[in-house]
């Protein structure tokens, strides 16, 4: 008796799709009538929060146009290994390195045979040879081709090499035959993909991070600022994105490249940062206030450069300062606030001051570091901190800011999950 076509049993089957958030999926399409289903598959993958690049074989282009897949994926479609324009942009080697997973749907009998033989005579087969990402195949072919001994042996060989097959399904086929060989429905393929990809600790969460200094103008050429390089905040943004979060990085004036898979919002002053933080934390899950925000700003900004008075005997200049809004406290005071993590950069009594700040500003966690140690902190490539909560404290020893960020995101995710599960 033939198995019925596989369908999603209920909306609950879609509950883990957030695990694809921020993932990079390389979708390969080979020649076959099932190629029309690939358009729907692209739409579902993007809806799950992943980015998609599509690679088509020449035969696939006979069944569905690259323009259709380009419109649905939001990225150029790759069809030729020798395309000068493609190689000048994201070349085939970079494309292979870019992917978190390679999914080939439909995978024809011909492509499976060429992949088994280790051939690289088109872009898609070459990418499969080059990539270190896991490769998944959704076979689609006539039932006779699927049941043929050669196809079965090829599939077993690929499985032995670590390639995973999704399907095929059984049922009526375009040629009129009935039997195994149908490509699984796109929703089912997506569920299989979700089940095989490792879930990040913050998968599907919206995280907002502030980083760097702020600048408070005195006149058109002078300002008040601090020594923050933004490196710690940028490292945290990269680590959160790698953990599967959708990350918005609100950055003060720094000269750092934007981490991959991170949306960046540039600001200058503390008030700019406050406005951006209040806006972008709407609907967010976590907020990490890593920026070194200026506590004060000049009450008035001179319209022209302040000149030295050659007749002044003491050569002093009085500037009245007023308080800036407290960014992290404002976020913590919001209705439907996110899980809020602050920073305490102190020169002495570090843990004591951090605990006071945690309570006073009603934060969930605070990251304390000793900026009096010139080997860590501001402008350094390394740091050492203590993560402090109401009933939690863990010290992380000196290491690179990138390593430290990974450890911090792991601990923050654990504490966030503990709180939200209660």
């Amino acid at each position: 008796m033939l198995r019925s076509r596989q369908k999603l049993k209920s909306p609950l089957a879609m509950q883990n799709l957030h695990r694809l958030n921020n993932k990079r999926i390389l979708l390969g399409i080979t020649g076959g009538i099932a190629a029309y289903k690939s358009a729907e598959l692209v739409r579902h993958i993007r809806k799950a929060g992943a980015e998609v690049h599509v690679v088509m074989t020449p035969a696939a282009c006979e069944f569905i146009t690259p323009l259709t897949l380009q419109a649905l994926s939001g990225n150029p479609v790759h069809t030729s290994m020798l395309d000068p324009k493609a190689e000048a942009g994201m070349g085939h080697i970079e494309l292979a390195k870019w992917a978190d997973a390679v999914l080939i749907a439909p995978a024809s009998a011909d492509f499976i045979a060429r992949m088994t033989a280790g051939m690289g005579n088109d872009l898609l087969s070459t990418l499969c040879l080059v990539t270190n990402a896991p490769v998944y195949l959704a076979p689609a072919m006539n039932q006779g081709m699927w049941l043929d001994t050669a196809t079965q042996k090829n599939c077993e060989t690929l499985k032995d090499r670590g390639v995973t097959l999704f399907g095929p399904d059984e049922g009526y086929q375009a040629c009129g035959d009935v039997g195994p060989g149908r490509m699984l429905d796109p929703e089912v393929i997506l569920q299989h993909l979700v089940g095989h990809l490792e879930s990040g600790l913050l998968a599907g969460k919206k995280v907002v991070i502030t980083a760097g200094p702020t600048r408070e103008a005195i006149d058109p050429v002078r300002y008040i600022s601090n020594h923050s390089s933004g490196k710690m905040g940028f490292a945290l943004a990269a680590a959160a994105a790698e953990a599967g979060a959708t990350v918005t990085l609100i950055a003060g004036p720094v000269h750092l490249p934007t981490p991959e898979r991170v949306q960046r919002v540039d600001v200058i002053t503390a008030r700019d940062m406050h406005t951006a933080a209040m806006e972008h934390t709407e609907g967010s899950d976590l907020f990490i206030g890593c920026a070194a925000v200026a506590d004060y700003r000049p009450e008035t900004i001179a319209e022209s450069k302040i000149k030295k008075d050659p007749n002044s005997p003491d050569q002093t200049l009085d500037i009245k300062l007023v308080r800036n809004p407290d960014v992290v406290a404002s976020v913590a005071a919001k209705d439907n606030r996110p899980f809020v993590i602050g920073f305490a950069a102190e020169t002495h009594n570090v843990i004591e001051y951090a605990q006071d700040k945690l309570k006073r500003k009603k934060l969930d966690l605070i990251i304390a570091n000793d900026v009096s140690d010139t080997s860590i902190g501001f402008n350094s490539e390394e740091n050492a901190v203590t993560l402090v909560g109401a009933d939690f404290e863990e010290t992380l020893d000196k290491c690179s800011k990138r390593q430290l960020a990974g450890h911090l995101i792991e601990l923050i995710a654990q504490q966030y999950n503990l709180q939200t599960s209660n």
Side-chain angles (χ1 to χ4, degrees):
M1 185 175 179
L2 296 178
R3 291 184 290 111
S4 61
R5 293 175 61 193
Q6 298 184 31
K7 295 283 187 182
L8 291 177
K9 295 180 180 179
S10 75
L12 292 177
M14 304 296 285
Q15 63 186 351
N16 291 323
L17 291 189
H18 65 269
R19 292 173 64 174
L20 289 185
N21 192 63
N22 254 351
K23 294 293 185 182
R24 294 167 164 177
I25 309 300
L26 185 62
L27 177 64
I29 304 175
T30 69
I33 189 61
Y36 79 91
K37 294 183 180 180
S38 301
E40 186 179 356
L41 182 56
V42 169
R43 185 173 62 83
H44 284 308
I45 292 172
R46 288 198 70 192
K47 190 174 180 180
E51 184 177 359
V52 187
H53 271 277
V54 176
V55 177
M56 302 177 70
T57 65
C61 297
E62 299 295 324
F63 290 89
I64 187 170
T65 67
L67 185 60
T68 298
L69 279 306
Q70 178 176 311
L72 291 171
S73 69
N75 287 312
V77 173
H78 309 267
T79 58
S80 173
M81 188 164 57
L82 303 177
D83 183 351
K85 290 182 180 179
E87 290 301 303
M90 182 179 283
H92 65 281
I93 300 297
E94 289 304 313
L95 192 59
K97 293 178 180 178
W98 171 88
D100 292 317
V102 177
L103 170 63
I104 301 170
S108 66
D110 174 72
F111 185 82
I112 289 172
R114 289 190 291 114
M115 187 175 174
T116 305
M119 297 179 70
N121 56 346
D122 62 13
L123 178 58
L124 185 56
S125 59
T126 301
L127 289 171
C128 290
L129 290 174
V130 173
T131 189
N132 289 319
V135 178
Y136 306 98
L137 303 180
M141 63 196 73
N142 171 267
Q143 56 89 25
M145 298 173 72
W146 172 251
L147 295 173
D148 185 80
T149 302
T151 301
Q152 291 299 307
K153 285 185 177 179
N154 287 339
C155 290
E156 289 303 317
T157 299
L158 291 177
K159 288 178 184 178
D160 290 341
R161 295 177 187 168
V163 175
T164 301
L165 271 63
F166 299 155
D169 201 357
E170 295 186 4
Y172 290 95
Q173 300 183 329
C175 61
D177 286 355
V178 179
R182 292 179 59 97
M183 188 174 94
L184 296 177
D185 286 341
E187 298 95 330
V188 178
I189 293 173
L190 188 64
Q191 281 296 314
H192 281 301
L193 185 64
V194 167
H196 281 80
L197 289 180
E198 183 178 350
S199 177
L201 290 168
L202 293 176
K205 303 303 178 185
K206 180 181 177 183
V207 178
V208 180
I209 299 174
T210 62
T214 61
R215 289 178 181 171
E216 310 300 328
I218 297 172
D219 63 20
V221 298
R222 301 180 180 92
Y223 57 81
I224 299 170
S225 190
N226 57 61
H227 294 293
S228 175
S229 65
K231 292 176 182 177
M232 191 70 244
F234 275 61
L236 284 167
E242 289 171 3
T246 298
V247 181
T248 299
L249 175 62
I250 303 172
V254 295
H255 300 288
L256 295 172
T258 305
E260 293 186 354
R261 315 182 204 196
V262 169
Q263 177 193 1
R264 179 171 175 172
V265 178
D266 287 314
V267 297
I268 300 294
T269 70
R271 285 179 290 179
D272 294 339
M273 186 167 283
H274 181 269
T275 299
M278 297 300 283
E279 175 187 346
H280 289 282
T281 50
E282 284 297 315
S284 66
D285 298 292
L286 296 96
F287 173 78
I288 304 177
C290 187
V293 184
D295 293 323
Y296 296 89
R297 69 181 186 275
E299 185 177 41
T300 58
I301 302 172
E303 295 183 0
S304 57
K305 180 182 176 181
I306 300 172
K307 305 295 290 184
K308 290 182 289 187
D309 183 357
N311 299 317
S312 175
D314 54 10
Q315 292 291 307
T316 61
L317 175 67
D318 294 326
I319 299 175
K320 185 177 180 180
L321 300 178
V322 294
R323 284 289 297 271
N324 272 321
D326 190 315
V327 176
V328 70
S330 296
V331 173
K334 292 180 69 171
D335 295 332
N336 300 317
R337 49 162 272 180
F339 188 84
V340 180
I341 303 97
F343 262 75
E346 305 291 348
T347 57
H348 62 285
N349 298 334
V350 176
I351 302 302
E352 180 183 340
Y353 285 142
Q355 290 171 335
D356 173 68
K357 189 174 181 180
L358 177 79
K359 296 174 184 177
R360 182 165 37 85
K361 298 190 178 184
K362 299 180 180 179
L363 310 180
D364 296 290
L365 295 170
I366 194 162
I367 301 167
N369 66 319
D370 184 354
V371 294
S372 68
D373 184 347
T374 56
S375 69
I376 60 174
F378 291 143
N379 291 304
S380 173
E381 296 296 334
E382 297 181 317
N383 206 352
V385 302
T386 300
L387 183 62
V388 179
D391 53 1
F392 170 85
E393 185 175 310
E394 183 155 344
T395 298
L396 298 174
D397 294 332
K398 180 178 175 181
C399 62
S400 74
K401 288 182 176 177
R402 181 169 182 171
Q403 290 175 307
L404 185 64
H407 296 322
L408 282 170
I409 289 298
E410 183 176 352
L411 290 171
I412 288 169
Q414 290 172 358
Q415 293 300 309
Y416 169 80
N417 289 328
L418 281 173
Q419 177 172 305
T420 54
S421 62
N422 291 335

